[in-house]
Amino acid sequence: MDKPIRVLVAKPGLDGHDRGAKVIARALRDAGMEVIYTGLRQTPEQIVAAAVQEDVDVVAMSILSGAHNHLFPKVVRLLKEEGIEDVLVLGGGVIPEDDIPGLKEAGVEGIFTPGTPTKEVIEFIKGNVKK
Amino acid sequence: MNIEERLLEGDKRACARLISLLENNDEQAVNIIKRQYHRTGNAYVIGVTGSPGSGKSTLTDRLTKELRAQGKKIGILAVDPTSPFSGGAILGDRIRMSDLALDKDVFIRSMGTRGYLGGISKATWGAVKALDIYGCDYIFIETVGVGQSEIDIVKMADTVLMVMVPNMGDDIQAIKAGIMEIADVFAINKSDLDGADKTKLEIEMNLDLNEKSDYRAPVEQVSAIKNEDIDVLLQKIMNHENYLKETGKLHERRRRNLKVEIIQLVEEELLKLIMDKALEGDLLEELSHEVEKRKQDPYTAKEKIISLIRE
C-alpha cells in the first residue's frame, strides 16, 4: 500500500460549528487519506502538539468565528518554532476575500471558503504536500 | 543529530517520525529498533478494548491522568479502522484526550488499521517498541471498537482491560468464547445507566465457571465521563501488574507473546517471498483461471505455488 497522506483536521477558536470540518474529514478519508480529527475549541498550542505527535503532512483548520487572522498565523508560527517546515497549512471557513492575501503571506498556503467543492481541496493537498 | 540519537534524548518529533517510518515498512526504522531493542521491556503495556462507543478513549484519558499524578510517562496508541475501499481513515480518539495534548510526558499517536484485522494495526507492534525506547513507563493500546473475536490485543498487552457498557445483550453474551476470555480486568463504564448491576452479575457468574486459578479478573463499575471510581480501576490494573511480576508470570506471558510475534514475522516474510514469485509470472492468474474452470482444484494450485520455493 502507498503511504497515505496524514491530515490533522482541527477547529481552533471558540465557535462550535464543525459540520464543515466533518464534511472535509469525510471527503479526505474517501480520497485515501488518514484524517486525525481533534474536535472543537483547540488552542494553537494543542494543534501544534498534535501535529508533532501525529507526524502529519497537512494541518487543515476551520474557523467560523472570525478569529482566523489571529489563530491561523499563530499556528504557522508555533510550527516554525518547533522546527517544522515541511507541513502544509490550510485554512477554511467564513473568511472575507480581503483577508486572504495576508493569510497566505503568513504561511497559510491554501484558503478555502464556503462552497468550495471538496474535490478542489483534495487536489490542492495532493499537489502541494511536501513530504 | 539523527532520529535515533534524538529518540534516545526523548525528542517527541523523532519518536513521531520513527512511528511513521515503521508504519510505512521502512527498513531504516526497523534497523533502529534492532539496534535499540535491548532498551525495551521496561514499559508496562495495557490493552484497552471494547465495543465502539463504550468509552475506551475517555477511560484511557482518565487513567492517564491518574498515572500522570504519580509522575509516570505515558504513551498512547489509539487505533481506528482504515477503509477497505479507499485506504483512508478517520482517526478520532484524540477528541476525548484534548487536555493531554500539552502534557510533555504524554505521547498520543493515532493509527489506522491499514488492512490488518484483529483490532490493531501491524505497525502497532513496532510503535510499542518505539515508545518503550522513548522512555514511557506505561503504554496504552486502544483497539478499534471490537465485536466478538478481534483479540489480537492479548498478543501484545501485559494487562487487557475490557470496557463494557450496561445492557449489551443477555447473559449468553457473557459465556461466549472470544473477547470475553481475554480480559484481565473488566470495567463496566457508564455505570450510572440502568442495568450496570445486572451486567456485573452476569460477568461475575461467568467468571465463577472458570477453572480455579490464583487470579480472578475483577469487575469494576465506573463512569469515565463523571470521573467516578477511576482510581479504583487503576488500582485493579496495578494489582494485576503486581500479580504478574510477583509470580513471574509476566515473563511467561511476554515469552508467549514474543513467540507469536516471531511466527507472525516469519509468516509475513514467507508469504511475501512466495507471492512475489507467484505473481511474477502470472502464475496466480493462470491457476485461478483453471481452478474456476474446474480443470484444477485449489489444493493442487497451492502445491504448485509452494513448489516454486521448494528447490
Side-chain angles (χ1 to χ4, degrees):
Chain A
M1 202 190 290
D2 280 342
K3 165 189 172 313
I5 297 172
R6 284 172 67 87
V7 185
L8 186 76
V9 172
K11 280 282 306 166
L14 297 175
D15 72 272
H17 305 282
D18 64 349
R19 177 80 192 139
K22 282 176 182 156
V23 169
I24 286 290
R26 171 65 203 270
L28 300 182
R29 182 203 92 177
D30 290 341
M33 300 181 199
E34 281 185 356
V35 180
I36 296 112
Y37 185 55
T38 55
L40 295 170
R41 299 185 190 93
Q42 299 287 298
T43 64
E45 287 81 4
Q46 283 174 315
I47 292 169
V48 171
V52 167
Q53 292 167 33
E54 300 288 354
D55 191 27
V56 290
D57 308 293
V58 183
V59 172
M61 295 176 282
S62 157
I63 294 190
L64 295 120
S65 67
H68 49 269
N69 281 336
H70 172 61
L71 294 171
F72 287 171
K74 190 165 179 196
V75 169
V76 177
R77 201 173 65 237
L78 291 173
L79 282 170
K80 284 212 176 102
E81 280 173 26
E82 284 282 338
I84 298 174
E85 313 262 356
D86 55 357
V87 168
L88 178 66
V89 180
L90 309 178
V94 187
I95 295 162
E97 273 307 310
D98 291 352
D99 291 348
I100 294 176
L103 288 170
K104 287 201 168 158
E105 205 172 309
V108 187
E109 289 169 67
I111 301 284
F112 303 96
T113 51
T116 308
T118 51
K119 222 177 137 194
E120 206 175 291
V121 182
I122 293 162
E123 293 303 319
F124 188 88
I125 291 175
K126 286 186 173 165
N128 290 281
V129 282
K130 300 169 188 178
K131 285 187 206 166
Chain B
M1 263 200 292
N2 61 28
I3 289 188
E4 191 167 353
E5 289 161 350
R6 281 165 49 212
L7 177 71
L8 294 179
E9 295 200 342
D11 181 310
K12 267 194 176 169
R13 273 184 70 201
C15 183
R17 182 55 56 89
L18 180 62
I19 293 174
S20 302
L21 292 171
L22 288 165
E23 279 196 298
N24 298 327
N25 292 318
D26 184 286
E27 204 178 319
Q28 301 243 322
V30 175
N31 286 334
I32 292 178
I33 299 288
K34 280 186 192 168
R35 280 193 296 271
Q36 302 300 335
Y37 190 71
H38 64 279
R39 292 178 203 273
T40 64
N42 299 315
Y44 193 81
V45 182
I46 301 167
V48 183
T49 192
S51 53
S54 56
K56 297 180 291 300
S57 304
T58 312
L59 207 50
T60 301
D61 173 81
R62 299 299 190 268
L63 288 167
T64 297
K65 282 172 185 155
E66 290 283 332
L67 283 165
R68 284 295 298 128
Q70 301 176 19
K72 305 292 185 196
K73 188 170 174 178
I74 311 295
I76 299 170
L77 297 171
V79 189
D80 264 332
T82 295
S83 162
F85 306 110
S86 72
I90 303 275
L91 312 177
D93 293 321
R94 286 191 88 95
I95 298 172
R96 325 283 171 208
M97 307 177 189
S98 275
D99 306 345
L100 298 175
L102 292 177
D103 188 327
K104 68 173 177 43
D105 284 324
V106 177
F107 187 106
I108 308 171
R109 179 61 173 244
S110 315
M111 305 179 87
T113 52
R114 298 198 184 178
Y116 189 83
L117 304 172
I120 47 176
S121 84
K122 218 173 68 188
T124 313
W125 270 272
V128 166
K129 295 176 184 72
L131 287 173
D132 201 342
I133 298 166
Y134 171 70
C136 291
D137 299 305
Y138 285 87
I139 299 170
F140 288 95
I141 303 170
E142 186 192 326
T143 70
V144 305
V146 301
Q148 296 177 313
S149 65
E150 298 97 323
I151 57 169
D152 273 3
I153 188 65
V154 76
K155 301 177 192 164
M156 211 186 275
D158 297 320
T159 296
V160 173
L161 172 66
M162 174 77 197
V163 185
M164 317 273 296
V165 287
N167 290 320
M168 282 291 283
D170 60 12
D171 51 352
I172 298 301
Q173 299 306 328
I175 61 169
K176 282 191 182 169
I179 195 92
M180 297 295 287
E181 294 178 279
I182 64 162
D184 300 300
V185 178
F186 287 92
I188 302 173
N189 194 24
K190 311 188 189 187
S191 274
D192 47 328
L193 299 179
D194 275 349
D197 289 339
K198 184 166 162 274
T199 303
K200 179 175 161 70
L201 189 71
E202 283 164 5
I203 297 168
E204 295 281 11
M205 281 170 69
N206 183 47
L207 291 170
D208 287 341
L209 301 175
N210 285 358
E211 250 176 72
K212 276 250 171 305
S213 143
D214 44 359
Y215 181 84
R216 177 184 167 116
V219 185
E220 205 49 52
Q221 296 182 337
V222 301
S223 167
I225 206 98
K226 293 183 176 169
N227 211 2
E228 278 170 6
D229 293 318
I230 304 301
D231 49 340
V232 185
L233 179 63
L234 181 64
Q235 192 50 55
K236 297 286 155 84
I237 293 169
M238 295 215 158
N239 289 349
H240 183 245
E241 177 184 356
N242 291 335
Y243 163 76
L244 290 180
K245 284 181 173 166
E246 280 161 15
T247 54
K249 288 197 172 157
L250 183 61
H251 292 293
E252 211 175 282
R253 183 171 179 139
R254 285 185 172 177
R255 263 198 305 275
R256 181 198 73 192
N257 284 350
L258 288 167
K259 209 183 279 178
V260 174
E261 183 181 349
I262 295 167
I263 291 172
Q264 232 164 274
L265 288 169
V266 171
E267 275 176 357
E268 207 180 288
E269 189 72 23
L270 271 181
L271 187 67
K272 197 175 155 334
L273 210 74
I274 298 167
M275 293 321 286
D276 280 356
K277 281 204 169 186
L279 294 169
E280 201 171 82
D282 276 341
L283 180 63
L284 185 63
E285 190 64 34
E286 256 167 58
L287 288 172
S288 56
H289 222 81
E290 286 177 16
V291 172
E292 195 267 330
K293 292 244 177 327
R294 301 311 191 260
K295 287 184 190 160
Q296 273 198 56
D297 62 275
Y299 307 99
T300 313
K302 170 208 70 181
E303 280 155 19
K304 285 195 173 149
I305 287 176
I306 295 292
S307 71
L308 285 176
I309 57 153
R310 208 183 253 161
E311 258 128 55

